[in-house]
Amino acid sequence: MAGKGEAVIFDMDGVIFDSETLVLNCWREVAECHGIRNIEIVCHECLGTNSAVSKQIFLRHYGQDFPYDEYKAEMSEVFFGYASGGRLKKKPGVEKLLKYLKESGIKVALASSTREAVVKKELEEGGLLGYFDEIVCGDMVKRSKPEPDIFLEACRRLRSEPKKCYVIEDSYNGIRAAHAAGMHPIMVPDLMEPTEEMQGLAETILGSLYDVIGYLEPFYLDV
């Protein structure tokens, strides 16, 4: 095979679906109802992490008596009110990219910090479930991003070496995790602009998923 790739692993929120913006807006609604300050700062810190890590981040900011589970359930109810039934917006170019990878015979996996039940429901409702050879979720590994566990598990299931896998991520924690796993991180920013750290950890930073096809094509010429 030419180049250095044989598989591509996607994050979901902020990469496949435009869900991080919606989550932030839903948290804003909850925060306004309950007088919670600085919610944007806290939500940005949670990007890419699983629910257990997100809870600890909230408690660190708001105190150990903060009723996170109650407010998170309230936020989720608002979120699914907007997003259920296939109404969750896809990121521009995602279907074209997934179709290109599938038609090229390239292995594709999903590695999302979100719970398995939610991931599969959203992918199925969005008509995207069939594109993925393997799906690994936040409740299927012990350690959350920025630790590399979820990406390494996706590699194991795909029977691919980390050094031959590209990862498409939008969050700082996701890029940190992919880099720690010894993969090729591609950053397609969503809510957070690339920092100097991200420029050092990511193999490339692209403006959209449309740009990913052009970047990957040279590495898959012989697939």
Side-chain angles (χ1 to χ4, degrees), residues 9 109-111 136 141 143 145-163 165 167 177-183:
I9 302 173
L110 186 87
V136 186
V141 293
R143 299 190 301 174
K145 302 172 189 175
E147 301 300 331
D149 302 35
I150 197 166
F151 289 127
L152 293 174
E153 177 62 16
C155 275
R156 187 189 69 79
R157 293 182 180 213
L158 289 172
R159 295 183 172 84
S160 294
E161 296 177 65
K163 65 182 180 181
C165 292
V167 171
H179 183 269
M183 299 177 178

Side-chain angles (χ1 to χ4, degrees), residues 98-166:
L98 287 168
K99 186 176 180 182
Y100 161 75
L101 295 172
K102 206 68 174 175
E103 290 178 349
S104 301
I106 298 161
K107 294 185 282 188
V108 179
L110 186 87
S112 171
S113 296
T114 302
R115 292 182 295 113
E116 181 182 11
V118 175
V119 167
K120 290 188 173 178
K121 180 176 185 289
E122 290 181 356
L123 289 175
E124 186 169 16
E125 289 182 345
L128 302 178
L129 188 60
Y131 285 107
F132 295 95
D133 301 301
E134 296 291 343
I135 294 174
V136 186
C137 305
D139 52 351
M140 298 164 67
V141 293
K142 287 186 177 180
R143 299 190 301 174
S144 174
K145 302 172 189 175
E147 301 300 331
D149 302 35
I150 197 166
F151 289 127
L152 293 174
E153 177 62 16
C155 275
R156 187 189 69 79
R157 293 182 180 213
L158 289 172
R159 295 183 172 84
S160 294
E161 296 177 65
K163 65 182 180 181
K164 294 183 179 179
C165 292
Y166 284 85

